[in-house]
C-alpha cells in the first residue's frame, strides 16, 4: 500500500518525472548503442565497417547536433525524440544484414541516419536535463539521468556476455542484435510519453519555460550566435575532447586484448562505474555550502588529476602490445594472447583500468553538462547549448573513429587523447572561474506574443 501511495504522489508534470522518462528513453536507445559500440566494431571481429559507420554517424551528428536544439524548439520534444529513437533500432538491425552478407554499405548508411536522429535526441535530452531543475539541483538531475542512461549500457553488456558465454565466435550472434532492436523500438515509443515543456512545473510552482515563442528565422540567427559566444568558443576544446577517447577505449583496448565474452563483461563494469562517478560528483556540485565557482574549481581539479592518472596507467599497459586480432587470423601481440575474465591474475589489472575509464567518462561529461547548465536557465538557450556540445563532441568523435579506421598506431591514438585532454583543461578552467552563483534569467514574454500552437510545441 505504501508503494502504491508513493506512486500516486508522483507528479507527471514534475521536472524529475520528465528527467526519469528521458533517462529511460536513453537507457533503451543510446544505452544499447553504447553497449554495442563498447564491444569494439559493433561486435564484429573486423572493426573496419563499425569504424566507418561511426565516422558516418558522427559526420551527420556534427550538423544535426548543432541544428538539433533549434529543431526541438520548433517541433517539440515528443515526436523528435520518438522518431530519433527509431534510428537507433535501424542501426542495430543493420548488423544482422552485415552478419549474413558481409556487405557494410547498409550499416554505414544506417550510421549516417543515426547521426541525424542522435543529434536531435541529445539536444532535447540536454535541454530537459539541465533546464528543468532549479539551480541548486542541476547536478542531482544530471546524475539521476546518467545513472538511468548507463543502466542501459550495463544491460547491453550483460546481453552479449550471457548469449556468447559459451561461444568461441569472434562476432556477435543475430540474437544479440535482435534483442537490441526490440529494446530500442520500445525506447522510441516511450518518447511519446514525455510532456511538452510548457506544461512542466517545478515543485515551487515555477514554470520551466522562460521564453515561449520562437521561429525558424530566430533559430537560424541563434545558431550563428553560438559561434560568436565567447563562452561557447572557450568550451570548444572540452566539447571536442569529451567523446574522443571512446574509439581508443573500445577498439585498441577492449576489442584488442580481451575475448569476446570478456568485452561484454567489461562493459557491465564500464557503464556501471559511470553511475558511481556521476552520483558521487553530484554531491560536490550541488553542495550549497560553497560558492558555485569553488565547487566548479574542486570538480575541475578532480577531473584533471583523475584523467591524467588513468592515461598514465594506460601508457604502461599500451607499451606491451601494438595490435589486436587481425582479419588474417593473427591474434593480438599482447603478452600471452587475449585475456579472459576467468584468468584472474592476468585480467584484474586491465579490467580495473577499463572500469576506471567509465568513472572518468562520467566525471568529465557530467562536469561538462553542469558547466553548460550554469551559464543560463533559459530552456531554449540550453537546448542550443546542448546541441552545440553534442555537435562539436561528434566532430571530435569523427576524427577519433577515423584514426582507428585508418590503422593509426595504438600508441599515437593514446598520445592524441592525452594531448587533447591537456588542451581542453585551461579554457575549461577559465569558464569555471568566471561562473556566478546565479545564472542569467530571461524575462518571460507576454502571453499575447505566442499562439496556443507554439505553447504546445515549444
Amino acid at each position: 500500500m505504501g508503494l502504491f501511495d508513493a506512486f500516486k504522489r508522483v507528479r507527471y508534470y514534475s521536472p524529475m518525472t520528465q528527467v526519469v522518462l528521458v533517462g529511460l528513453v536513453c537507457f533503451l536507445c543510446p544505452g544499447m548503442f553504447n553497449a554495442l559500440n563498447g564491444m569494439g566494431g559493433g561486435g564484429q571481429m573486423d572493426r573496419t565497417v563499425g569504424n566507418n559507420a561511426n565516422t558516418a554517424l558522427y559526420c551527420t551528428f556534427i550538423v544535426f547536433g548543432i541544428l538539433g536544439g533549434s529543431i526541438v524548439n520548433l517541433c517539440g520534444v515528443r515526436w523528435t525524440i520518438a522518431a530519433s529513437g527509431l534510428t537507433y533500432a535501424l542501426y542495430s538491425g543493420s548488423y544482422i544484414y552485415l552478419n549474413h552478407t558481409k556487405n557494410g554499405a547498409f550499416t554505414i548508411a544506417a550510421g549516417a541516419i543515426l547521426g541525424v536522429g542522435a543529434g536531435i535526441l541529445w539536444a532535447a535530452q540536454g535541454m530537459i536535463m539541465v533546464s528543468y531543475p532549479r539551480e541548486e539541483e542541476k547536478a542531482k538531475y544530471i546524475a539521476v539521468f546518467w545513472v538511468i542512461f548507463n543502466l542501459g549500457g550495463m544491460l547491453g553488456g550483460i546481453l552479449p556476455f550471457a548469449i556468447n558465454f559459451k561461444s568461441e565466435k569472434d562476432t556477435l550472434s543475430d540474437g544479440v542484435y535482435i534483442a537490441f532492436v526490440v529494446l530500442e523500438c520500445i525506447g522510441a515509443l516511450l518518447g511519446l510519453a514525455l510532456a511538452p515543456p510548457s506544461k512542466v512545473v517545478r515543485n515551487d510552482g515555477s514554470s520551466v519555460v522562460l521564453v515561449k515563442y520562437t521561429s525558424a528565422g530566430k533559430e537560424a540567427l541563434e545558431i550563428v550566435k553560438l559561434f560568436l559566444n565567447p563562452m561557447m568558443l572557450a568550451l570548444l576544446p572540452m566539447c571536442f575532447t569529451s567523446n574522443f577517447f571512446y574509439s581508443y577505449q573500445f577498439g585498441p583496448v577492449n576489442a584488442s586484448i580481451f575475448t569476446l565474452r570478456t568485452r561484454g563483461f567489461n562493459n557491465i563494469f564500464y557503464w556501471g562505474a559511470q553511475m558511481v562517478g556521476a552520483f558521487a560528483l553530484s554531491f560536490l556540485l550541488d553542495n550549497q555550502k560553497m560558492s558555485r565557482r569553488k565547487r566548479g574549481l574542486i570538480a575541475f581539479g578532480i577531473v584533471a588529476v583523475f584523467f591524467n592518472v588513468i592515461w598514465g596507467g594506460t601508457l604502461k599497459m599500451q607499451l606491451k602490445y601494438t595490435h589486436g586480432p587481425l582479419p588474417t587470423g593473427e591474434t593480438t601481440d599482447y603478452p600471452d594472447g587475449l585475456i579472459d575474465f576467468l584468468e584472474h591474475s592476468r585480467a584484474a589489472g586491465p579490467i580495473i583500468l577499463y572500469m576506471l575509464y567509465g568513472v572518468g567518462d562520467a566525471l568529465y561529461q557530467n562536469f561538462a553538462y553542469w558547466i553548460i547548465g550554469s551559464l543560463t536557465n533559459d530552456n531554449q538557450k540550453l537546448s542550443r547549448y546542448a546541441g552545440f556540445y553534442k555537435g562539436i563532441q561528434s566532430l571530435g568523435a569523427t576524427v577519433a573513429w577515423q584514426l582507428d579506421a585508418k590503422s593509426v598506431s595504438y600508441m599515437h591514438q593514446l598520445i592524441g587523447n592525452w594531448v587533447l585532454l591537456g588542451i581542453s583543461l585551461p579554457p575549461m578552467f577559465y569558464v569555471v572561474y568566471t561562473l556566478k552563483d546565479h545564472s542569467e534569467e530571461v524575462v518571460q514574454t507576454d502571453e499575447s506574443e505566442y499562439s496556443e500552437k507554439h505553447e504546445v510545441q515549444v
Side-chain angles (χ1 to χ4, degrees):
M1 186 68 178
L3 183 61
F4 179 74
D5 289 340
F7 275 117
K8 288 203 305 184
R9 287 196 297 271
V10 173
R11 285 196 306 114
Y12 169 66
Y13 291 113
S14 74
M16 182 57 78
T17 300
Q18 298 304 308
V19 169
V20 169
L21 282 173
V22 80
L24 290 172
V25 173
C26 291
F27 166 92
L28 292 165
C29 294
M32 294 301 110
F33 169 80
N34 280 347
L36 188 59
N37 234 19
M39 297 295 294
Q44 301 287 309
M45 183 184 72
D46 184 356
R47 300 199 305 274
T48 303
V49 172
N51 286 338
N52 287 330
N54 274 308
T55 300
L57 187 164
Y58 286 111
C59 280
T60 53
F61 202 152
I62 295 167
V63 177
F64 282 88
I66 294 170
L67 296 178
S70 294
I71 293 171
V72 172
N73 287 341
L74 290 166
C75 302
V77 296
R78 282 176 168 169
W79 290 102
T80 51
I81 287 181
S84 297
L86 293 175
T87 64
Y88 285 88
L90 176 67
Y91 179 76
S92 296
S94 73
Y95 279 96
I96 300 173
Y97 178 80
L98 179 62
N99 266 353
H100 291 273
T101 66
K102 305 305 177 186
N103 184 341
F106 179 43
T107 300
I108 294 169
I113 295 169
L114 174 55
V116 176
I120 297 170
L121 183 146
W122 280 107
Q125 173 275 331
M127 181 272 288
I128 291 171
M129 183 178 69
V130 297
S131 74
Y132 282 16
R134 298 194 304 270
E135 286 187 342
E136 65 272 18
E137 296 180 320
K138 290 195 177 187
K140 180 178 76 174
Y141 277 64
I142 293 170
V144 167
F145 167 81
W146 212 256
V147 168
I148 298 171
F149 162 49
N150 283 292
L151 278 170
M154 280 191 70
L155 174 62
I158 292 169
L159 286 173
F161 174 66
I163 294 174
N164 290 278
F165 186 81
K166 294 183 179 180
S167 174
E168 299 297 326
K169 292 182 178 180
D170 293 319
T171 298
L172 291 181
S173 64
D174 288 353
V176 176
Y177 294 119
I178 291 170
F180 283 163
V181 170
V182 171
L183 291 170
E184 286 159 348
C185 286
I186 294 171
L189 291 174
L190 191 58
L192 298 176
L194 289 162
S198 58
K199 294 186 178 180
V200 180
V201 179
R202 301 186 182 100
N203 292 334
D204 62 5
S206 62
S207 172
V208 303
V209 175
L210 298 175
V211 177
K212 297 186 176 181
Y213 173 76
T214 191
S215 65
K218 178 183 177 182
E219 291 298 332
L221 179 61
E222 293 299 329
I223 289 172
V224 174
K225 286 182 179 179
L226 285 173
F227 293 91
L228 302 175
N229 185 319
M231 289 302 179
M232 289 293 101
L233 293 177
L235 292 176
L236 266 172
M238 177 193 79
C239 301
F240 187 88
T241 304
S242 58
N243 261 11
F244 197 92
F245 45 78
Y246 276 179
S247 67
Y248 174 78
Q249 292 172 356
F250 297 161
V253 178
N254 200 29
S256 295
I257 65 173
F258 296 103
T259 61
L260 183 63
R261 67 177 185 177
T262 305
R263 292 189 227 169
F265 180 82
N266 288 345
N267 280 334
I268 297 170
F269 291 96
Y270 182 94
W271 302 113
Q274 296 238 4
M275 296 187 286
V276 176
F279 191 66
L281 191 65
S282 70
F283 287 102
L284 168 62
L285 294 177
D286 277 344
N287 188 339
Q288 299 303 304
K289 295 179 180 179
M290 295 182 283
S291 68
R292 180 181 274 176
R293 178 189 296 175
K294 185 175 182 180
R295 284 175 272 150
L297 291 175
I298 293 172
F300 171 83
I302 292 171
V303 170
V305 171
F306 191 90
F307 250 101
N308 276 291
V309 168
I310 62 173
W311 284 141
T314 302
L315 176 62
K316 182 179 179 181
M317 184 174 71
Q318 186 59 77
L319 290 169
K320 298 178 181 179
Y321 70 104
T322 61
H323 66 82
L326 302 174
T328 58
E330 183 181 353
T331 189
T332 180
D333 62 346
Y334 188 84
D336 298 320
L338 294 175
I339 301 171
D340 190 82
F341 75 100
L342 293 178
E343 302 174 90
H344 300 152
S345 60
R346 293 183 67 221
I351 288 177
I352 291 172
L353 179 61
Y354 194 76
M355 179 181 69
L356 292 176
Y357 290 163
V359 177
D361 182 21
L363 293 177
Y364 197 99
Q365 294 214 57
N366 277 252
F367 186 45
Y369 273 119
W370 181 82
I371 293 171
I372 292 169
S374 297
L375 299 177
T376 181
N377 290 322
D378 175 0
N379 69 305
Q380 288 189 355
K381 278 189 177 180
L382 284 171
S383 70
R384 299 183 200 109
Y385 287 176
F388 180 87
Y389 171 65
K390 297 303 290 188
I392 303 303
Q393 180 187 78
S394 299
L395 175 61
T398 301
V399 175
W401 286 106
Q402 268 305 287
L403 291 179
D404 195 37
K406 299 299 183 184
S407 300
V408 172
S409 74
Y410 290 179
M411 182 60 74
H412 286 159
Q413 290 187 51
L414 170 58
I415 293 170
N417 274 280
W418 210 340
V419 168
L420 283 173
L421 171 70
I423 292 172
S424 73
L425 293 177
M428 190 191 303
F429 176 87
Y430 165 75
V431 174
V432 172
Y433 190 78
T434 61
L435 289 179
K436 299 176 182 178
D437 277 341
H438 297 287
S439 305
E440 63 175 88
E441 295 288 351
V442 179
V443 178
Q444 188 163 318
T445 56
D446 187 83
E447 294 290 326
S448 63
E449 291 187 26
Y450 60 92
S451 66
E452 183 179 341
K453 178 181 177 182
H454 274 110
E455 183 176 3
V456 172
Q457 287 187 331
V458 172

